[in-house]
Amino acid sequence: GNVSFSCLEPQVVPVTFLSSSSYLALPGTSGQDEVFVSFQFRTWNKEGLLLSSKLHQSSGGFLLYLSDGKVKISLHKPRRVLTDITAGAQLNDGQWHSVSLSVKRNRVSVIVDSDVTSSAHASIPLQIFSDVFYFGGCPRSGNVSECDTTLSGFQGCMRLISIGNKVVDMISVQQNGFGNFSDLQIDLCGIMDRCLPNYCEHGGECSQSWNSFYCNCANTGYKGATCHYPIYEQSCEAYKHRGNTSGFYSIDSDGSGPLGPFLVYCNMTDATWTIIQHNSTNLTRVKSANRENPHTVFFKYSASLDQLQATINQAEHCEQELAYYCKKSRLFDKPGGIPLSWWIGRTNETHTYWGGSLPAVQKCACGLEGSCIDSQHYCNCDADRDEWTNDTGFLSYKEHLPVTEIVITDTDRPNSEAAYKLGPLLCRGDRTFWNSASFNTETSYLHFPTFQGELSADVSFFFKTTASSGVFLENLGIQDFIRIELYSPSEVIFSFDVGNGPSEVTVQSPTPLNDNQWHYVKAERNVKEASLQIDQLPQRSHSAPPDGHIRLQLNSQLFVGGTASRQKGFLGCIRSLLLNGMALDLEERAKITPGVEPGCPGHCSSYGNLCHNGGKCREKYSGFSCDCTFSAYAGPFCKKGKLISAYFGSGTSVIYNFQEYYTLAKNSSSHASSFYADMTLNREAITFAFRTTRTPSLLLYVSSFYKEYLSVILTRNGDLQIRYKLDNHQDPDVFSISFKNMADGQLQHVKVNREEEILFVEVNQKERTKFILSSGTEFNAIKSLTLGKILENSDVDEETMKANSQGFIGCLSSVQFNHIAPLKAALHHSSSAPVIVKGHFTESNCGTLAGADSTSSETTHSFADHSGPIDEGKPLANAIRSDSAIIGGVIAVVIFILLCITAIAIRIYKKKGIYSKNEAKGSENEDSAESALKSELSMQNTANENQKEYFF
């Protein structure tokens, strides 16, 4: 027959709708009682008008459009919507999708992608007659659309448009054969995949529209237009100097670098410790190991080795405690001989030195100290004795940490066994946080290698200055550049050029930035935008032009504190300079650079406000510390309450002289000196606790040079009274709290707060009682505070005098008057504090809630206070297992049960106090094998008395 050896494909002519004002108008189906239109489209936009009919006054019309990635059709008459139906989902994925619309005999049908399940149908009393169909949008007459809609136009591509089962010839349309169009590209689909390549960093999810792409940074640990900048601090040190206390925090050791954040415990003491746990912190017993069949244990940390390396490199010091218990189990066969056990560090190298020793020395701590139990050996275990001993100490060579593996081979001889325990990785400080340089001349600068940040670049640092302007840093290319400068005392400018012309982002501060205080600067530039933030001021950003140049190409050195032209140099200090998360060592470079000095003093001017409750900021070379000597509180920021109690005997008096304190505080921090400027108070905040059975009693007395005073007393019937005399011409104001007899021997907590004439009193954390003073609002020229008996001649009222007849006999605890802690001063700083003590006065735990002889208990993390050696006295979970020991233990219990019960009862009776303390710490399900091992260790004096009691 008639065969043609070719296959003619139908010609497909796509159309691109370039903007929201694009449209294609094609002849409709006027005169027919049915409408059938089909086409294919692809887009990235979730919204856009696909197809509409021209609305006539008499007949109805329709709108077929995208909404949230779904196809919807809206059928309506003038000023009246009849129905809305929806089909399809997630159609803005950039792929081709087909749509068929059929309106026939009052029935409307929409089918998406030829999928019956993605179709919608409706029966409506409406006939649609349209002589024109608009695809992608509608022509506008001024601000009015002919489609009578506010929907935005479609941006994307269409093809295979068919009206009434007849395919539209788009080439004829292009040649103006029929139809009409505006802002179209015919015979080309100009859609772009803006998520390829993907500029979203750190696992951010890319989505896009016709003009741009967007990054979803949820659950990545990063923020910004491209998920570039970390939301977590780089170290515990940084969290501490934001005022945070001890707890679990996520840190990002390399900032915006490739390593992700991970969880650590930050112990905020005077030094800041980062604590990283691993999967096997328990004491573990080893038996039957030899060179052919060694015992090998691997340690998995809560962070990857790369994350650990970044944290260790950044820290000032790191350490990890390694304990090796042994009985006829050696570490070396002879001094300097073949190692029988070893450990492996981060770099997969084998190490044969042990805790407390030095690298490249086959010794233990006792070998360095010359204290081994056998002087012929360098480790206690090498004495090879048939009794338990140990070699324990800290490994502190940073390049070898953390320990990732331990191998033990000498436990296969008769009666030979060992046990090991590896503590968490502990790292202290942050070498980059305080790394700083002082620029002393306008022509001085530091130079570093070219900044590499083609697609993403972030710069952060602290600065302080008294100069009005100066360039912080600059890096130039042939045309491109990046620069951050203090343009005026209150204005910082981040400027750059990536080939689209110079751009600037400016932040204006409402207060001057040249106040010699530390200020924080963070600048970021990526392919979407540039941003700048100063301190906590709102961030300013500048969007990048669409489809412009995106690569920052630099080739010169990076100048810090100046420019290549040596003009507009910076005068002042720059600290903690990070570029894309990498720290620049300003101090090392400053040591060899004229006009620049390493370090920068004066941290208290910026961070002194972190010292609370009367704590004094003390300067250090790298940072500062809070001196809590004269505060009632302790901790790194003097915020942690410390229970200090004392027993007062008959006639005891503790007198704190304010006038001497003013002299001490005169040149101290600004908030303290302003508080005591003229020794006149408008407010007091007083807290204390007491326990007594004596009435009447004088609890607290504050005197004045003007015969004004405040006294807190217990009346004869046990009521609490606060007596204020702020006008020496009037009788004192008396306020009584009488809901119970407070001299009942129980601990009573009292808070007294005065703000001018308003007084609040709270007892035992119950509802506060409000009183109003009538004798005045100013407590003038205060002289001293007395706890117990008033010894000086005082012009006080009769009730206060009666209470003072025997003073106070009992317990006073946690006394604080504003920021002064008189009990703490008397007990711990009597030689330096302005305090006088008379009579019988001893520190006691009588201020605890449970009673004079009880101890308070707190729930803490088991490693929360580690800033050095780990307490071996704490109970160890995951006990060492030994089947034979368990069987022997069971038999022993069966045979000697009566004897054991008697012995335990006697032991508990004798050691009740010790047992109660250990019970709070101990595990109740420790098995007999570990008990046996610990008992043996305790017999060798390697465990403390608490452990012996615990095992019994």
Side-chain angles (χ1 to χ4, degrees):
N2 186 12
V3 176
S4 174
F5 291 92
S6 66
C7 184
L8 297 176
E9 293 286 345
Q11 186 179 14
V12 177
V13 181
V15 181
T16 304
F17 294 78
L18 297 173
S19 69
S20 58
S21 60
S22 302
Y23 71 90
L24 171 63
L26 295 175
T29 56
S30 59
Q32 300 182 21
D33 61 351
E34 63 182 32
V35 174
F36 181 79
V37 180
S38 66
F39 58 91
Q40 292 183 2
F41 74 92
R42 64 187 297 199
T43 185
W44 298 116
N45 290 3
K46 290 184 176 183
E47 321 286 338
L49 180 61
L50 295 173
L51 173 64
S52 63
S53 65
K54 190 170 183 179
L55 183 66
H56 292 278
Q57 294 295 324
S58 58
S59 65
F62 70 89
L63 297 172
L64 187 71
Y65 58 96
L66 277 178
S67 176
D68 194 27
K70 303 174 183 178
V71 169
K72 290 190 175 184
I73 185 168
S74 176
L75 303 163
H76 56 87
K77 284 186 174 181
R79 295 176 297 279
R80 181 185 171 199
V81 176
L82 296 179
T83 184
D84 274 325
I85 57 178
T86 302
Q90 297 180 348
L91 302 176
N92 60 318
D93 58 0
Q95 303 297 316
W96 286 108
H97 297 280
S98 64
V99 179
S100 299
L101 169 67
S102 174
V103 182
K104 185 177 181 181
R105 297 186 182 93
N106 298 337
R107 179 174 173 82
V108 176
S109 176
V110 177
I111 301 177
V112 175
D113 291 336
S114 303
D115 185 359
V116 178
T117 61
S118 296
S119 62
H121 309 277
S123 298
I124 55 168
L126 174 69
Q127 286 187 325
I128 296 176
F129 302 100
S130 179
D131 52 2
V132 178
F133 288 125
Y134 294 111
F135 291 84
C138 285
R140 289 182 172 271
S141 299
N143 292 326
V144 180
S145 169
E146 289 194 17
C147 301
D148 191 23
T149 179
T150 58
L151 290 171
S152 60
F154 172 76
Q155 286 179 289
C157 302
M158 289 189 185
R159 69 181 185 185
L160 299 177
I161 300 174
S162 175
I163 300 176
N165 291 318
K166 183 179 181 180
V167 177
V168 175
D169 184 356
M170 292 306 303
I171 300 299
S172 297
V173 174
Q174 186 181 26
Q175 296 171 352
N176 296 317
F178 69 99
N180 192 15
F181 62 89
S182 173
D183 201 14
L184 295 186
Q185 260 184 339
I186 298 179
D187 204 13
L188 173 70
C189 180
I191 193 170
M192 293 176 56
D193 190 345
R194 298 182 183 274
C195 286
L196 192 66
N198 185 0
Y199 294 115
C200 300
E201 302 179 45
H202 300 108
E205 183 179 337
C206 182
S207 61
Q208 56 188 312
S209 65
W210 183 261
N211 294 317
S212 186
F213 71 93
Y214 311 94
C215 297
N216 181 0
C217 305
N219 302 318
T220 65
Y222 298 86
K223 62 182 178 180
T226 60
C227 309
H228 174 75
Y229 200 78
I231 62 177
Y232 300 113
E233 299 288 352
Q234 286 193 242
S235 67
C236 288
E237 188 81 17
Y239 278 113
K240 176 181 176 180
H241 290 91
R242 287 173 51 181
N244 296 90
T245 56
S246 297
F248 286 96
Y249 296 91
S250 290
I251 63 172
D252 197 333
S253 300
D254 70 337
S256 57
L259 302 178
F262 61 98
L263 192 67
V264 301
Y265 187 85
C266 296
N267 188 18
M268 313 294 193
T269 58
D270 290 337
T272 306
W273 288 89
T274 302
I275 302 172
I276 305 172
Q277 285 287 0
H278 57 78
N279 62 336
S280 182
T281 56
N282 304 302
L283 188 64
T284 305
R285 172 176 272 176
V286 179
K287 277 187 167 186
S288 304
N290 52 43
R291 282 193 167 274
E292 289 72 29
N293 184 30
H295 176 89
T296 304
V297 59
F298 298 90
F299 298 95
K300 184 176 177 60
Y301 290 81
S302 57
S304 69
L305 289 181
D306 289 335
Q307 290 171 324
L308 292 173
Q309 180 175 348
T311 302
I312 291 169
N313 292 343
Q314 192 170 324
E316 295 173 354
H317 168 83
C318 289
E319 62 187 25
Q320 193 167 16
E321 189 180 45
L322 177 56
Y324 186 81
Y325 295 92
C326 52
K327 184 168 68 169
K328 290 187 68 65
S329 174
R330 299 160 296 166
L331 294 171
F332 305 96
D333 63 348
K334 62 182 179 180
I338 299 174
L340 300 176
S341 295
W342 56 89
W343 59 274
I344 296 174
R346 182 181 72 225
T347 57
N348 212 29
E349 294 180 359
T350 298
H351 303 289
T352 57
Y353 70 98
W354 292 83
S357 184
L358 299 175
V361 179
Q362 288 194 166
K363 294 183 179 180
C364 300
C366 70
L368 289 182
E369 300 166 357
S371 60
C372 295
I373 58 176
D374 186 338
S375 60
Q376 295 182 5
H377 297 278
Y378 297 136
C379 292
N380 288 323
C381 290
D382 291 348
D384 204 23
R385 295 186 177 181
D386 190 13
E387 60 184 18
W388 283 105
T389 185
N390 74 91
D391 287 295
T392 301
F394 280 90
L395 303 169
S396 57
Y397 192 65
K398 289 203 321 181
E399 283 70 12
H400 294 167
L401 295 176
V403 177
T404 61
E405 185 179 344
I406 293 178
V407 180
I408 298 172
T409 68
D410 187 29
T411 60
D412 66 338
R413 294 175 293 154
N415 207 30
S416 172
E417 57 184 316
Y420 62 84
K421 182 182 180 187
L422 180 68
L425 177 65
L426 309 174
C427 288
R428 182 187 69 226
D430 182 349
R431 295 190 305 115
T432 65
F433 191 77
W434 298 107
N435 190 291
S436 59
S438 302
F439 298 85
N440 301 323
T441 66
E442 288 191 1
T443 58
S444 60
Y445 60 84
L446 299 177
H447 59 85
F448 294 90
T450 305
F451 180 30
Q452 303 296 327
E454 285 194 348
L455 298 176
S456 293
D458 72 89
V459 181
S460 65
F461 58 90
F462 293 87
F463 78 91
K464 69 174 183 174
T465 184
T466 56
S468 59
S469 64
V471 175
F472 297 122
L473 62 86
E474 179 185 83
N475 206 159
L476 304 178
I478 297 175
Q479 178 184 351
D480 298 359
F481 73 90
I482 184 171
R483 182 186 302 114
I484 305 175
E485 64 178 311
L486 180 67
Y487 188 74
S488 71
S490 59
E491 186 177 21
V492 174
I493 295 180
F494 171 36
S495 55
F496 61 93
D497 188 353
V498 295
N500 303 315
S503 297
E504 288 186 352
V505 184
T506 303
V507 171
Q508 294 271 2
S509 172
T511 57
L513 299 172
N514 61 340
D515 56 358
N516 207 30
Q517 306 277 320
W518 285 116
H519 296 282
Y520 180 66
V521 177
K522 177 179 78 72
E524 181 186 349
R525 180 261 151 195
N526 53 58
V527 298
K528 280 185 66 72
E529 66 179 20
S531 62
L532 177 65
Q533 184 169 16
I534 309 298
D535 295 331
Q536 300 302 316
L537 297 173
Q539 178 176 286
R540 302 294 180 189
S541 58
H542 174 80
S543 297
D547 303 321
H549 296 283
I550 60 174
R551 295 187 181 275
L552 176 65
Q553 297 177 329
L554 308 173
N555 55 18
S556 71
Q557 290 182 317
L558 169 69
F559 290 83
V560 177
T563 63
S565 62
R566 298 202 172 195
Q567 296 178 346
K568 300 170 65 177
F570 174 72
L571 285 171
C573 295
I574 294 178
R575 173 170 69 85
S576 189
L577 176 58
L578 302 174
L579 277 68
N580 278 345
M582 301 299 293
L584 298 187
D585 195 340
L586 302 176
E587 294 188 357
E588 281 300 313
R589 192 57 62 95
K591 291 176 182 177
I592 57 174
T593 305
V596 186
E597 295 181 1
C600 187
H603 302 300
C604 280
S605 60
S606 298
Y607 293 105
N609 61 336
L610 292 178
C611 298
H612 296 272
N613 299 309
K616 304 299 180 297
C617 184
R618 307 296 186 200
E619 290 286 348
K620 296 165 61 178
Y621 176 76
S622 294
F624 71 99
S625 64
C626 294
D627 183 355
C628 307
T629 301
F630 296 105
S631 170
Y633 291 79
F637 302 122
C638 308
K639 293 173 70 175
K640 184 178 179 181
K642 186 174 182 181
L643 187 67
I644 297 178
S645 309
Y647 178 79
F648 284 66
S650 178
T652 300
S653 178
V654 175
I655 304 168
Y656 193 102
N657 291 302
F658 293 113
Q659 55 185 354
E660 296 180 35
Y661 181 74
Y662 299 143
T663 305
L664 293 173
K666 188 173 183 180
N667 296 319
S668 137
S669 61
S670 58
H671 62 276
S673 57
S674 61
F675 185 80
Y676 297 108
D678 56 0
M679 298 192 296
T680 295
L681 301 180
N682 291 313
R683 58 184 63 86
E684 294 89 43
I686 307 168
T687 60
F688 63 91
F690 71 91
R691 185 198 303 273
T692 188
T693 57
R694 303 291 187 96
T695 60
S697 292
L698 178 64
L699 300 173
L700 179 145
Y701 172 74
V702 182
S703 64
S704 160
F705 288 104
Y706 294 165
K707 296 185 179 180
E708 299 173 3
Y709 65 86
L710 157 66
S711 65
V712 181
I713 67 172
L714 282 182
T715 63
R716 186 172 298 278
N717 60 359
D719 292 347
L720 181 72
Q721 276 192 359
I722 293 92
R723 309 176 77 88
Y724 262 103
K725 184 173 184 179
L726 302 185
D727 185 341
N728 57 14
H729 300 296
Q730 293 186 21
D731 291 335
D733 290 315
V734 179
F735 309 106
S736 295
I737 307 292
S738 56
F739 68 91
K740 62 172 285 190
N741 179 4
M742 300 186 70
D744 57 0
Q746 299 299 312
L747 193 65
Q748 316 287 348
H749 293 269
V750 179
K751 289 184 180 180
V752 179
N753 289 276
R754 179 181 74 91
E755 184 82 24
E756 296 186 337
E757 75 278 3
I758 300 175
L759 179 71
F760 288 100
V761 181
E762 180 182 315
V763 177
N764 293 335
Q765 301 176 344
K766 291 184 170 57
E767 186 177 351
R768 294 196 305 172
T769 305
K770 181 179 177 181
F771 302 99
I772 304 296
L773 274 70
S774 61
S775 61
T777 61
E778 291 187 345
F779 199 167
N780 295 293
I782 60 172
K783 178 182 178 183
S784 63
L785 180 149
T786 301
L787 302 175
K789 190 174 182 64
I790 306 172
L791 300 180
E792 62 183 11
N793 292 325
S794 301
D795 187 8
V796 296
D797 61 273
E798 184 178 351
E799 289 298 320
T800 300
M801 191 65 71
K802 289 179 181 177
N804 186 53
S805 61
Q806 62 177 0
F808 177 77
I809 301 174
C811 172
L812 278 176
S813 175
S814 303
V815 181
Q816 182 180 350
F817 181 87
N818 291 337
H819 293 318
I820 292 172
L823 275 186
K824 181 179 179 182
L827 291 168
H828 298 169
H829 308 289
S830 57
S831 59
S832 58
V835 62
I836 300 170
V837 179
K838 298 286 181 68
H840 179 61
F841 174 73
T842 55
E843 187 169 7
S844 168
N845 66 346
C846 59
T848 57
L849 287 172
D853 296 324
S854 66
T855 58
S856 62
S857 62
E858 295 180 358
T859 302
T860 61
H861 298 285
S862 63
F863 49 85
D865 296 321
H866 288 169
S867 58
I870 301 168
D871 181 11
E872 285 295 336
K874 293 187 178 178
L876 304 173
N878 192 19
I880 300 168
R881 291 166 173 77
S882 171
D883 292 341
S884 61
I886 293 174
I887 295 170
V890 171
I891 295 173
V893 168
V894 172
I895 296 175
F896 299 110
I897 186 167
L898 294 175
L899 181 62
C900 288
I901 292 173
T902 305
I904 290 171
I906 295 171
R907 186 68 167 173
I908 291 173
Y909 180 77
K910 288 182 176 180
K911 297 281 189 173
K912 184 177 180 181
I914 296 175
Y915 180 81
S916 63
K917 292 179 182 177
N918 288 330
E919 185 181 30
K921 293 181 178 181
S923 166
E924 293 182 0
N925 56 0
E926 188 170 37
D927 70 25
S928 60
E930 184 173 1
S931 299
L933 173 60
K934 289 186 177 180
S935 296
E936 292 181 64
L937 296 176
S938 66
M939 291 173 64
Q940 316 270 331
N941 293 322
T942 58
N944 58 26
E945 180 63 28
N946 285 353
Q947 286 177 308
K948 287 189 281 187
E949 173 61 31
Y950 181 72
F951 303 139
F952 197 93

